[in-house]
Amino acid sequence: MLDGVTLGVSGGELVVVEGSPASGKSTLLEVAAGARLPERGAVWFAGRNTATLQRASLPFVRRNIGYYNADALLVDEDSALDNVMSALAVRGEALSTAGARARDALAAVRSQELADRLVSSLSSGQRRLVALARALAGPPPLLVADEPAALLGEDARALVVSALARARDFGAAVLAATADTAWADALVAAGGRRINLCEGRIVGAPAIGLVPSPTMAEAREDEGPWSGSVESANGEDHEKAPALKGPR
Amino acid sequence: MNAAWIARNVRRQVEAHPRTVMATSVAFCLLALVAGGARLGTRAVARWGAFVGQNVHLVAYLAEDVDRQRALGLAKILGRTPAVARVTVIEPAQALARLNDTAQPFASDGRALDGLEPAYFPRSLEISLAPAADLTKRAADLAKRLRGAPGVTAVDAMTDGLARLLVWVKVGRALGLTILVALGLVAVLALVTVFVRNRGAVATRAAVLTQLGETPAAIRLPSGLWTAAAALAGGGAGALILALAWQPFLGRLEEKLGIVASQPPVPLAGFEIASGLALLMLTGLAMGYFATPLPQTSDHA
């Protein structure tokens, strides 16, 4: 349950949402990724409020969001490379270039050697890395990663930090969530902005960016392709809520 | 997802589930055999009906005072009746000769009918009926009318044997239909089993693609396409089997039943095969498409 959360993430920015289990992190990320709809409030992505879109339009939003969550849902009967390529296929990437991009994404999480292996033969840790590579592939305009370092070893956790930072450096808006303070610290050290979430509310530091931003209405008019923001669940008066604007 | 990706997806699914594709093809092959067999079987029964019709006749026994000229006149008049195909005047000597021929196999010394004179037999008319579905009724109607005709002393409608024959034809047709329906049900059951067993893998793929932002149509299309291809392959195999095996099978069956049909069996025409394959393909496309379960849409947060 989210309560009055207003959060903006712009292109080239890395935001880490930290909170204890059941604090609403996963819900917030699901809403941001278009996997769930808020009962009230707005979810702005590329100048559109996705919360008010018709269901038939949601796939066209989701395909521009790289989403990773604990389920790491993959197609077992396909190879790791095929799984990563499928995200690019949905986005309309040409078949001729998708393979190289997918291998790049696997290389970003040092899993290139898994490319031709069937997912069914991978360990749970390897599956998580492949799922993360799929979310990173492209990279997408918005990358949403829920506990991407959970159940991974130290090396892999550091690798995930660098992979997210790399996606950010490529211009993606990166939103990650974790209950692990040490890992959140590592993301902050890599240039990330920390948000603390407790019982569905943002506490401590302001959820919005430090840079002055236009209003939501202005952001919508700007149609900035990389900007995204969430207001939920009581989302009062979003027209007055500030948000960050991404590069055009 | 463009055409190249969809084609790749189709290939991947076929490679991942070769046994499912094979089982689907076999089930559609069985459906094609059932549909084609029903079509060809209907034609065979029609041919057998014509054969039965050619061998159905009534015998009208004429009075002693009816001479050959008058008998020929009666035959001419009866020949104009729509239900009648042919009328033959049977002279007493001919009738005796036929009886002798019939009795020959049963007489141990070959002289069983030695005492009979041709004059013992009345002149008669052998009336062959035109082939029709209701031959028993037609024969009974004609016999009834002939019994009141002048110069006719008795009429043997010979409908008992005919009725028995037609009953056997009906039984055969019902049996054939039952077998075809049973085979059809087996094919449908096989298809349902294949789809139910494969549902888990298909559902996972659909859930992944939904999460990635694929549209429902693009998620379902590859399954529809490979099922349509499997239906085409299975249907083609079924048509080939019928083309190669039906005529020899029918020939052997007719030989055993003693049926000598006047016309050769008619195979399935090109347009029948093409339309049947198109129907199977569309069925496969629809089955594959709609059997792909889409995940429930998201809950509200």
Side-chain angles (χ1 to χ4, degrees):
Chain A
M1 182 73 170
L2 299 175
D3 185 11
V5 172
T6 299
L7 171 65
V9 186
S10 61
E13 187 186 22
L14 170 58
V15 173
V16 54
V17 178
E18 187 190 343
S20 57
S23 60
K25 301 186 303 294
S26 294
T27 306
L28 174 65
L29 265 61
E30 283 173 4
V31 169
R36 293 177 84 172
L37 297 173
E39 283 180 0
R40 283 178 293 160
V43 182
W44 293 92
F45 180 73
R48 289 181 189 278
N49 181 2
T50 60
T52 59
L53 287 177
Q54 290 186 337
R55 286 191 187 280
S57 302
L58 282 176
F60 300 98
V61 173
R62 286 192 192 124
R63 65 181 53 172
N64 289 297
I65 301 171
Y67 179 46
Y68 170 89
N69 64 4
D71 293 341
L73 199 57
L74 296 166
V75 180
D76 283 359
E77 63 204 25
D78 285 355
S79 67
L81 186 69
D82 279 330
N83 270 276
V84 178
M85 284 174 78
S86 60
L88 299 165
V90 171
R91 261 176 242 153
E93 179 90 28
L95 191 57
S96 54
T97 56
R101 278 186 174 243
R103 285 184 191 279
D104 282 348
L106 283 167
V109 291
R110 290 188 200 152
S111 299
Q112 58 269 45
E113 77 281 0
L114 305 177
D116 298 321
R117 282 180 58 184
L118 287 182
V119 166
S120 56
S121 70
L122 301 181
S123 68
S124 60
Q126 288 171 326
R127 288 174 70 100
R128 284 169 179 275
L129 290 175
V130 170
L132 186 61
R134 185 181 61 189
L136 288 164
L142 173 62
L143 172 60
V144 177
D146 188 7
E147 297 282 9
L151 304 175
L152 293 179
E154 272 309 310
D155 288 350
R157 284 156 63 86
L159 189 65
V160 174
V161 171
S162 61
L164 296 183
R166 184 169 174 259
R168 185 263 325 268
D169 295 341
F170 273 109
V174 181
L175 178 61
T178 183
D180 183 342
T181 304
W183 193 72
D185 289 343
L187 276 181
V188 171
R193 176 160 62 91
R194 189 196 311 256
I195 303 294
N196 286 301
L197 199 66
C198 182
E199 295 181 351
R201 286 177 170 273
I202 289 177
V203 293
I208 57 171
L210 300 174
V211 183
S213 63
T215 63
M216 284 289 186
E218 287 168 339
R220 183 173 49 194
E221 285 164 10
D222 287 343
E223 295 284 331
W226 307 98
S227 66
S229 62
V230 177
E231 286 179 79
S232 180
N234 61 1
E236 60 280 321
D237 196 8
H238 70 261
E239 291 298 327
K240 292 178 184 170
L244 296 179
K245 184 179 73 173
R248 296 185 185 180
Chain B
M1 199 177 277
N2 58 30
W5 280 108
I6 288 174
R8 191 172 189 273
N9 250 353
V10 171
R11 201 175 68 241
R12 281 282 186 272
Q13 289 191 32
V14 170
E15 286 168 355
H17 301 283
R19 280 191 289 184
T20 301
V21 176
M22 184 60 75
T24 306
S25 295
V26 170
F28 274 104
C29 177
L30 199 55
L31 273 181
L33 287 174
V34 167
R39 185 96 176 135
L40 291 168
T42 305
R43 283 182 191 161
V45 169
R47 285 174 68 243
W48 296 346
F51 165 76
V52 170
Q54 285 160 11
N55 290 276
V56 169
H57 58 266
L58 290 79
V59 178
Y61 296 102
L62 303 178
E64 283 183 11
D65 59 343
V66 176
D67 60 11
R68 181 169 171 75
Q69 283 306 314
R70 200 173 151 204
L72 287 171
L74 271 171
K76 201 173 175 183
I77 293 165
L78 277 171
R80 290 177 191 149
T81 309
V84 174
R86 190 176 66 252
V87 182
T88 313
V89 177
I90 306 295
E91 293 298 328
Q94 256 180 299
L96 179 60
R98 279 188 183 187
L99 188 61
N100 265 323
D101 288 345
T102 308
Q104 196 71 36
F106 306 108
S108 56
D109 57 0
R111 299 185 299 168
L113 304 173
D114 272 2
L116 286 177
E117 293 291 330
Y120 184 77
F121 294 92
R123 185 171 279 114
S124 62
L125 299 177
E126 188 181 272
I127 305 158
S128 298
L129 295 181
D134 55 345
L135 278 173
T136 311
K137 187 174 178 297
R138 284 187 177 205
D141 286 349
L142 189 60
K144 192 177 173 185
R145 277 191 286 159
L146 281 172
R147 282 190 187 107
V152 176
T153 56
V155 179
D156 185 352
M158 304 182 82
T159 51
D160 287 354
L162 175 61
R164 273 201 299 279
L165 195 57
L166 290 177
V167 164
W168 278 112
V169 169
K170 276 185 184 173
V171 168
R173 187 184 291 179
L175 194 65
L177 198 64
T178 306
I179 291 169
L180 286 176
V181 168
L183 286 175
L185 285 176
V186 166
V188 170
L189 195 66
L191 279 175
V192 170
T193 307
V194 164
F195 277 96
V196 167
R197 288 184 64 141
N198 199 34
R199 194 175 169 83
V202 173
T204 304
R205 185 182 290 275
V208 168
L209 289 173
T210 300
Q211 193 182 76
L212 293 176
E214 190 53 279
T215 58
I219 291 170
R220 288 174 149 170
L221 194 58
S223 285
L225 288 176
W226 78 250
T227 313
L232 181 64
L240 188 65
I241 290 169
L242 283 176
L244 295 175
W246 178 256
Q247 298 224 14
F249 166 75
L250 191 66
R252 202 165 296 171
L253 185 67
E254 289 181 345
E255 191 182 316
K256 282 191 175 175
L257 293 174
I259 295 172
V260 185
S262 57
Q263 300 156 347
V266 181
L268 289 174
F271 79 91
E272 287 176 308
I273 294 172
S275 54
L277 290 179
L279 189 65
L280 283 180
M281 268 182 72
L282 283 175
T283 306
L285 184 67
M287 282 188 76
Y289 189 91
F290 291 110
T292 303
L294 293 177
Q296 293 298 309
T297 47
S298 56
D299 297 323
H300 285 283

